[in-house]
Amino acid sequence: MRMNAPDLPATAPLPPTNPVFPLADPHHFDELHARPAWGVDPPAPGAPALAPAWKEFFRHLDLSDSDELNRRATRLARQLRDNGVTYNVYADEANLQRPWPLDLFPLLIPAGDWTRIEAGVLQRVRVLEAVMADIYGPRRLLKDGLLPAALVQGHPDYLRAMHGVPPVGGQHLHMVAFDLARGPQGYWWVVSQRTQAPSGLGYLLENRSAVSTQFPDAFETMNVRRLADTYRGFIKALKAMAPGADSHIVLLTPGPYNETYFEHSYLARYLGVTLAEGGDLTVRNQRLYLKTLHGLQPVHGVIKRVDDAFLDPLEMRPESRLGVPGLLQAVRAGNVMVANAPGAGFLESSALLGFLPALGRELLGEELLLPALHTWWCGEPATLREVLPRLGQCVIKPTYPWSTSRGTFSAGVGPLMSDQVLASWADSIRRVPEEHTVQAYMPSSQMPTWQSGPRAGIVPRAVILRVFALTDGAGSWRVLPGGMTRLVSESAGLATMALGGSSADTWVLGEEPAREAPEFDHGTLAAITPTDTALVQRERLVTSRSAENLFWLGRYTERAENSARLARITLSALHGEEDPSFAQLMWLGQLALSAGLVPAHAPSPLENRAEFERLLIHHLADTEDVPGVGHVLRGLRGAGAALRERLSPEHWSFIKLAEERFLQECGPLRGSATEAEADAQHSLAQLSRTLAAITGAQQDRMWRDDGWRLMTIGCQIERLTWLSEALSRGFYTNAVHDAAGHGVVLDLFDSSISFHARYQRSRSMAALIEHVVLNHQNPRSLGWVVQRLRGLLDRLHANDPHPLDKLSQRLRNPLPEELTMLCESDHIGDFIHLQALLAHFMEIGGQLSNEIGLRHFIHTAEVGRSVGA
């Protein structure tokens, strides 16, 4: 099964180029000038006319001012960096999270071209849906020989367990992506299709947001078609097709280490669905549930970004931790809709492209409007003999991509290979022909891109366009009026982000000004229904995983602040005007060791002050050997990365800035002499300011739900245990009785200003204990922390569906009238009642942390129990 292959132009000399608007390279369609590739004969001298769309776009720019375009490119990169747009690359362990690469110029698609693309994509989706219905139903296509069984039943992603299962909601496919390339003569061709978990729907939204702000006038005057209405229709359709009157949809992600995790969290937030990992979900009685802070909540629909092989460890790969045990049985029972339906992976085989024209005629009675590149499946002997001599003009692809049970490999580009490498590929194909698919190599069109720097200018680069078809109801589809344009990596010859490619925004131009479809019919006044009332009163669900990460986000934020403050205080004490006392050095040494600022083998400052200081500075940026400041900041970033859908861009930006800047500045200090103290103090002061911004974002920019309460509880538990330990050690070492030690206590409690405003320069122990232990107006005092914790715990457990003992009652609340008792000491001067209270706070802090984990993260009390079913 094949189609006519596109003509591959011969090589030709380079053309004369316009210094501002260069022509595309030979054999590539020129998007900028809307002209076919030049091959044997170079174009006539002179500057060819720009395509109308590009002429209009550049009318809004001053191309003679390269500095201005460089500034726009810099602003674009800064916006992506500030928004935390990343792409994870497993192959690059040294730089796992790469900034998302985005070009300054968008790809412009005129209305007429888009009309043809749209019609062809909608037709191909109908064919693929019909293929799915047949393969998991009567299998007529296999019986009649229209599809080889090896491409279907031999494909690892064909799921026999789903045969005969009617799709929940009435259709198998809900979102399909097609990679398109424009050939040398200007026609669009299908290169590949994605049906399991196509990526790009989130990145293209960020691309649109970032690029449109750089060219607002051009964006408006060129009538660029908007994207939002298609997304609204998509999520509305999913909710209508999922079982349940008020369907709950989740987006299933492999987690923060997946290469496209940024867009998973971005898309979940944009669509208004819950971002969930496999561990967040469980199946009970053939129904899917979300593990939330207060028990199990039913789930009716899943947008999956996990490949089918990892969906259900009971029926698929048993070692998978990405899926949900029992999920396929819940799908078979009709209790949950999965988009796309499990089993669609075999449609992604490039070998299938060669058979689709005949399938279109058979299933729809139509010729395909949008052709695919000539594709050969080497599993047919006649095809194998025909294709081997032309490998040098083709791309060699795996028939079963991403498979662990069948052979898979990275695609090879014939025109970039030597004769020796081509001969090796030919041997591989002869050994296992069915595992190889060969596709005609076609130079894709080139669009203008902006190259920043001293030699700034326009550079043509080849592009692949990924377009998306999204369901907007049973049997109905829309093509998203835009797409993710990927710029081909010159070294790889392929449009892949993992091999160094980049992206561009895609502007589909309308013939009339864009008009958004209204979300509400303002011409009709309807009474508020009980359903509407329930909707507006709905609480935001907090998954157990998110709850745990929020809890530790609070703890790490407070721990980082305490560690940085202790490091500053310790370095200041070692370099103060007065020589620190024996007791003060003992106290600070113990605290530094307890906080992980120095390794266990470090000498105390009493033994070797210089070496102690050197090790403290040396380990500030340590993320591996000691749990000090750098290690805590790494934990803070990890917790924040798992909560991207809940954090504002500014909040996440501050978290990244805190870690990156501190490690960058303090990293060179490792191994330095103690003269680096001034640089360390500067970095610690900067970090304290950034942490204050993070705390402000947490207190002023986050929704006050139970997840926020858990985050604040984590912060207060960390504060209670740390300050209790610091004060207890200060009294045991008698350091608090020194003038300097008295001041250190106030600095650790961040209470110097308020204390001196009340007591001037008093060194009374009673005044100190009242201010940092009993005072309920000081947010750093232990009494205030206890009062805050009790209130938060009571509010948190008020939402528990089942009565449990109140954790708040375990906290002893110190009262002002206890001051006299807390100031009492025994015959050797120990403040025994105060120490007992501090010991209680340290012990109860650990108990509260463990109990919260058991109740809300692990759900030990929820076995056999669910809510809302």
Coordinates of all heavy atoms in Angstrom, one line a residue, residues 110-122 180 182 186-188 369-370:
P110 N -1.8 31.4 6.1 CA -3.0 32.1 5.5 C -4.2 31.3 5.6 O -4.2 30.0 5.7 CB -2.6 32.3 4.0 CG -1.1 32.2 4.0 CD -0.7 31.2 5.1
A111 N -5.4 31.9 5.6 CA -6.7 31.3 5.8 C -6.9 30.2 4.7 O -7.4 29.1 5.1 CB -7.8 32.3 5.7
G112 N -6.5 30.4 3.5 CA -6.8 29.4 2.4 C -6.0 28.1 2.7 O -6.5 27.0 2.6
D113 N -4.7 28.2 3.1 CA -3.9 27.1 3.4 C -4.5 26.3 4.6 O -4.6 25.1 4.6 CB -2.5 27.5 3.8 CG -1.7 27.9 2.5 OD1 -2.2 27.8 1.4 OD2 -0.5 28.3 2.7
W114 N -5.0 27.1 5.6 CA -5.5 26.4 6.8 C -6.8 25.7 6.5 O -7.1 24.6 7.0 CB -5.7 27.4 7.9 CG -6.2 26.8 9.2 CD1 -7.5 26.8 9.7 CD2 -5.5 25.9 10.0 NE1 -7.6 26.0 10.8 CE2 -6.3 25.5 11.1 CE3 -4.2 25.5 10.0 CZ2 -5.9 24.7 12.1 CZ3 -3.7 24.7 11.1 CH2 -4.6 24.3 12.1
T115 N -7.6 26.2 5.6 CA -8.9 25.5 5.2 C -8.6 24.1 4.7 O -9.3 23.2 5.0 CB -9.6 26.4 4.2 OG1 -10.0 27.6 4.8 CG2 -10.9 25.7 3.8
R116 N -7.5 24.0 3.8 CA -7.2 22.7 3.3 C -6.6 21.8 4.4 O -6.9 20.6 4.4 CB -6.2 22.9 2.1 CG -6.8 23.6 0.9 CD -5.8 23.6 -0.3 NE -4.7 24.5 -0.1 CZ -4.8 25.8 -0.4 NH1 -6.0 26.3 -1.0 NH2 -3.8 26.6 -0.2
I117 N -5.8 22.3 5.3 CA -5.2 21.5 6.3 C -6.4 21.0 7.2 O -6.4 19.8 7.6 CB -4.2 22.3 7.2 CG1 -3.0 22.6 6.3 CG2 -3.9 21.6 8.5 CD1 -2.0 23.5 7.0
E118 N -7.3 21.9 7.6 CA -8.4 21.6 8.5 C -9.2 20.5 7.9 O -9.6 19.5 8.6 CB -9.2 22.8 8.8 CG -10.2 22.7 9.9 CD -10.9 24.0 10.2 OE1 -11.1 24.8 9.2 OE2 -11.1 24.3 11.3
A119 N -9.6 20.6 6.7 CA -10.5 19.6 6.0 C -9.7 18.2 6.0 O -10.3 17.2 6.3 CB -10.8 20.0 4.6
G120 N -8.4 18.2 5.7 CA -7.7 17.0 5.6 C -7.5 16.3 6.9 O -7.6 15.1 7.1
V121 N -7.3 17.1 8.0 CA -7.1 16.5 9.3 C -8.4 16.0 9.9 O -8.5 14.9 10.4 CB -6.6 17.6 10.3 CG1 -6.7 17.2 11.7 CG2 -5.1 17.9 10.0
L122 N -9.5 16.7 9.7 CA -10.8 16.2 10.1 C -11.2 14.8 9.4 O -11.7 13.9 10.1 CB -11.9 17.2 9.9 CG -11.9 18.4 10.8 CD1 -12.9 19.5 10.3 CD2 -12.1 18.1 12.2
L180 N 2.9 17.7 10.3 CA 2.8 18.0 8.9 C 4.1 18.7 8.5 O 4.7 19.4 9.3 CB 1.6 18.9 8.6 CG 0.2 18.5 9.2 CD1 -0.8 19.6 8.8 CD2 -0.2 17.1 8.7
R182 N 5.7 20.9 4.9 CA 5.4 21.4 3.6 C 6.5 21.1 2.6 O 7.6 21.4 2.9 CB 5.2 23.0 3.7 CG 4.4 23.6 2.6 CD 4.2 25.0 2.9 NE 3.0 25.5 2.2 CZ 2.6 26.8 2.3 NH1 3.2 27.7 3.0 NH2 1.5 27.2 1.6
G186 N 5.2 23.3 -2.2 CA 4.2 24.1 -1.4 C 3.0 23.3 -0.9 O 2.1 23.9 -0.3
Y187 N 3.0 22.0 -1.1 CA 1.9 21.2 -0.6 C 2.2 20.6 0.8 O 3.4 20.2 1.1 CB 1.6 20.0 -1.5 CG 1.3 20.5 -2.9 CD1 2.1 20.3 -4.0 CD2 0.0 21.1 -3.2 CE1 1.8 20.7 -5.3 CE2 -0.3 21.6 -4.4 CZ 0.6 21.4 -5.5 OH 0.3 21.8 -6.7
W188 N 1.2 20.5 1.7 CA 1.4 19.9 3.0 C 1.2 18.4 3.0 O 0.4 17.9 2.3 CB 0.3 20.5 4.0 CG 0.6 22.0 4.3 CD1 0.1 23.1 3.7 CD2 1.5 22.4 5.3 NE1 0.5 24.2 4.3 CE2 1.4 23.9 5.3 CE3 2.4 21.8 6.2 CZ2 2.2 24.7 6.2 CZ3 3.1 22.6 7.1 CH2 3.0 24.0 7.0
L369 N -7.8 13.8 1.5 CA -7.5 15.1 1.0 C -6.1 15.6 1.4 O -5.5 16.4 0.7 CB -8.5 16.1 1.7 CG -10.0 15.8 1.4 CD1 -10.9 16.8 2.2 CD2 -10.3 16.0 -0.1
L370 N -5.6 15.0 2.5 CA -4.2 15.4 2.9 C -3.3 14.2 2.8 O -3.4 13.3 3.6 CB -4.3 15.9 4.4 CG -3.1 16.6 5.0 CD1 -2.7 17.9 4.2 CD2 -3.4 16.9 6.5

